[in-house]
Amino acid sequence: MNTESQNIEFKESWRDEYQKWICGFANAQGGILYVGIKDNGEVCGVQDAKKLMEDIPNKMRDMMGILLDVNLKEKDGKAYLEIVTEAYPYPVSFRGKYYQRSGATNQELKGAALDRFMLRKQGKTWDGVPVPYLKAEDLDNATFDLFRKYAKRSGRMEEADLMDDNHGLLEKLRLYEGSYLKRAAALLFHPDPEKYVTGAFVKVGFFREGMDLVYQDEVHGNLFQQIMKLMDLLCTKYMKAIITYEGIQRIETLPMPHEALREALLNACINKDYAEPSPIQIRVYENKLEIINGGVLPEGWTVETLLSSHRSMPYNPDIANTFFRAGEIEAWGRGIERIITACKKDGFSTPEFRYDASGIWTTFKFEYPERATIQSDQKTTQKTIQKTIQKLTEQQQAILVYLNEHPNATRKELCEKIPGVTMGGVIHNLSRLQELGLLKRIGGRKQGYWQIIE
């Protein structure tokens, strides 16, 4: 006898509560419930087998409206039942609750998981759900102009369609459901999509070893705006570009491919499960960058599926289609492939991908040139720092002087000791000094200290 699995469950005797398991099979890929078999697969037999063969189908029909096969089996003179449940194309509930088989467990669906399940069974996607009260006039004209520019360059839309007004363009992009705009329209073109979708932003943080957060940012706006802001923020503030020279030409090299980073950000925004209120997270360390996207893979998919040739199944197809028309993505289903190709083309190692309960993780390991190349520009860097210091405000210079003598000073202490500065001014100036590379925080808020960059 086979062991318990995604599609097989063993029970020693029948109880009415096992209807939950049958409900779970019906809402997943179907399965078989054996009654009269122990967990180890040993047949122990079941009492009143013939009566159960009549009772169980009737209960399933009355309680859940489904039909199933109940077969009488025998082994070593012991009778047991085989209850075969087919996968149902519509949601099946038991006493008002929905269950689904996942792995070798039966889970009650709640919250975002229930929303995903109901939409999928109805043949709909999260980004295709209509939004009441959202009008074309509420959307951002500058983003429409940007889209038209991108789409004209890509050649993936007719010029006549791009010359239409915003309402007509939204119709061409199939972002209407009847007379209502879809959720995708809010995320793509509204200046503040968080008014309609909680968590539709990105958190970026720089961490030292030991998970100490040094500084952080939040990137808001629609998805087109987020991609532009993130690329600028990550490439100028969070990642150190190595400066080299070929003759008199100055060359800045990032520790990972620019194209791969952009593709990874697009992939995260397009495939995020926006029903989950938590934002996309980007964690940057001295030696790596991690993108944590609360996305959900299609049923039965694994990381290996993503890394191999697979059919296109974007989690948010309306969002994916709009980015495709803009030329921002090349083809559905090739995001991971393009990230890997960009890394290999520029001589970088392949990023790591992981999928767990928190979502889909993409990790890029930073790769810099040889140390001699880095040191070659140290003098230029020192001169730049000196020029930067001369441009500081009096308050910023005073903060540096005080922290040089009192590295354990708190924000409150700085507010009290630096003349004319408010708490808001302290926070702003500390952030600015860190951005300029003149100051960094070592350790956490309670145990840490400030270090002046000489």
Side-chain angles (χ1 to χ4, degrees):
M1 181 64 65
N2 294 328
T3 58
E4 291 184 337
S5 65
Q6 171 80 20
N7 307 104
I8 296 175
E9 179 76 23
F10 296 150
K11 298 298 178 186
E12 292 186 28
S13 60
W14 173 257
R15 296 179 184 174
D16 282 347
E17 66 184 72
Y18 295 155
Q19 293 176 80
K20 296 177 184 178
W21 272 259
I22 293 173
C23 178
F25 282 137
N27 285 327
Q29 301 169 356
I32 303 173
L33 177 68
Y34 288 101
V35 181
I37 298 180
K38 296 180 179 179
D39 289 342
N40 61 6
E42 178 186 346
V43 176
C44 59
V46 64
Q47 300 294 323
D48 300 325
K50 291 185 178 180
K51 184 174 185 301
L52 288 173
M53 286 182 68
E54 296 179 5
D55 291 348
I56 292 173
N58 292 336
K59 287 180 179 179
M60 298 304 103
R61 182 195 60 212
D62 296 343
M63 294 296 294
M64 291 183 273
I66 65 174
L67 302 176
L68 40 76
D69 292 328
V70 181
N71 304 312
L72 180 62
K73 300 284 185 176
E74 186 176 320
K75 184 177 181 182
D76 299 331
K78 298 176 181 177
Y80 65 95
L81 296 180
E82 178 189 66
I83 304 173
V84 182
T85 308
E86 297 292 332
Y88 270 70
Y90 56 81
V92 176
S93 67
F94 173 63
R95 291 177 177 168
K97 297 181 179 180
Y98 293 87
Y99 300 88
Q100 189 176 46
R101 185 76 170 183
S102 177
T105 63
N106 199 53
Q107 298 179 357
E108 181 184 349
L109 297 172
K110 297 178 180 179
L114 180 58
D115 290 341
R116 284 194 297 269
F117 167 76
M118 299 297 284
L119 285 170
R120 187 173 68 250
K121 287 291 185 181
Q122 296 167 29
K124 295 183 179 294
T125 58
W126 183 92
D127 66 335
V129 173
V131 181
Y133 309 114
L134 177 63
K135 306 296 181 185
E137 298 77 43
D138 301 330
L139 305 182
D140 183 53
N141 286 324
T143 306
F144 278 113
D145 292 342
L146 181 67
F147 172 82
R148 288 185 174 93
K149 176 183 174 182
Y150 286 171
K152 183 176 181 180
R153 183 181 61 194
S154 74
R156 292 176 181 164
M157 288 192 73
E158 298 291 336
E159 287 207 30
D161 293 340
L162 295 175
M163 293 174 65
D164 206 343
D165 62 12
N166 293 347
H167 172 77
L169 183 58
L170 290 165
E171 286 188 328
K172 296 297 189 303
L173 291 170
R174 298 179 182 175
L175 294 178
Y176 274 101
E177 178 72 27
S179 60
Y180 294 101
L181 282 168
K182 297 179 179 179
R183 285 170 171 165
L187 285 167
L188 289 161
F189 293 107
H190 197 279
D192 182 20
E194 292 167 69
K195 181 178 179 181
Y196 302 93
V197 183
T198 303
F201 66 98
V202 181
K203 291 186 71 171
V204 187
F206 187 85
F207 295 82
R208 299 290 186 198
E209 284 190 24
M211 293 296 290
D212 287 329
L213 178 63
V214 182
Y215 51 87
Q216 64 180 333
D217 289 280
E218 290 185 357
V219 175
H220 300 268
N222 61 55
L223 297 186
F224 283 104
Q225 294 169 342
Q226 286 183 26
I227 296 297
M228 288 192 298
K229 292 176 185 176
L230 283 169
M231 288 300 296
D232 181 62
L233 187 67
L234 291 170
C235 293
T236 59
K237 179 178 178 179
Y238 281 83
M239 291 191 294
K240 298 176 183 177
I242 301 304
I243 302 169
T244 56
Y245 290 88
E246 288 185 8
I248 61 172
Q249 184 180 5
R250 176 188 171 104
I251 299 173
E252 294 189 4
T253 306
L254 290 173
M256 61 176 292
H258 188 277
E259 183 183 345
L261 175 60
R262 185 178 185 83
E263 193 72 34
L265 294 175
L266 284 163
N267 201 48
C269 288
I270 290 170
N271 291 298
K272 182 188 184 310
D273 177 13
Y274 288 97
E276 294 285 352
S278 57
I280 293 171
Q281 291 187 30
I282 301 176
R283 302 176 184 177
V284 185
Y285 301 81
E286 293 283 359
N287 61 346
K288 65 180 178 180
L289 178 146
E290 294 177 337
I291 301 174
I292 303 101
N293 159 33
V296 180
L297 293 180
E299 192 171 334
W301 283 33
T302 63
V303 169
E304 287 67 32
T305 311
L306 292 177
L307 296 175
S308 60
S309 179
H310 59 274
R311 60 195 173 102
S312 171
M313 289 187 66
Y315 191 79
N316 297 298
D318 288 317
I319 293 174
N321 177 59
T322 303
F323 274 113
F324 174 75
R325 300 298 169 194
E328 292 291 89
I329 58 176
E330 285 303 310
W332 294 5
R334 291 193 57 216
I336 300 295
E337 180 185 341
R338 284 175 54 79
I339 293 170
I340 294 172
T341 300
C343 289
K344 289 182 176 178
K345 182 184 71 175
D346 292 346
F348 289 86
S349 60
T350 301
E352 297 176 1
F353 301 94
R354 189 171 95 237
Y355 180 53
D356 58 25
S358 60
I360 303 168
W361 293 60
T362 304
T363 303
F364 294 91
K365 297 291 179 66
F366 287 166
E367 298 176 35
Y368 290 100
E370 294 296 325
R371 182 142 186 90
T373 308
I374 300 173
Q375 290 177 339
S376 67
D377 202 51
Q378 272 189 341
K379 292 182 180 179
T380 304
T381 304
Q382 289 291 343
K383 290 179 181 178
T384 303
I385 291 175
Q386 291 300 323
K387 290 180 180 179
T388 303
I389 291 175
Q390 293 173 9
K391 296 179 181 179
L392 296 180
T393 65
E394 290 183 5
Q395 286 184 352
Q396 289 167 350
Q397 291 184 29
I399 288 173
L400 283 178
V401 170
Y402 190 84
L403 290 178
N404 190 46
E405 297 177 359
H406 308 87
N408 298 105
T410 63
R411 292 174 179 175
K412 182 180 179 181
E413 184 178 342
L414 287 170
C415 188
E416 295 171 350
K417 298 295 183 181
I418 306 300
V421 67
T422 63
M423 180 58 73
V426 168
I427 294 172
H428 169 75
N429 286 318
L430 288 174
S431 176
R432 182 60 182 153
L433 290 168
Q434 289 177 84
E435 290 176 5
L436 293 170
L438 301 175
L439 182 68
K440 68 177 180 180
R441 181 71 181 179
I442 308 297
R445 181 174 294 182
K446 293 183 178 180
Q447 303 296 328
Y449 62 94
W450 295 102
Q451 182 180 29
I452 308 298
I453 308 300
E454 296 294 336

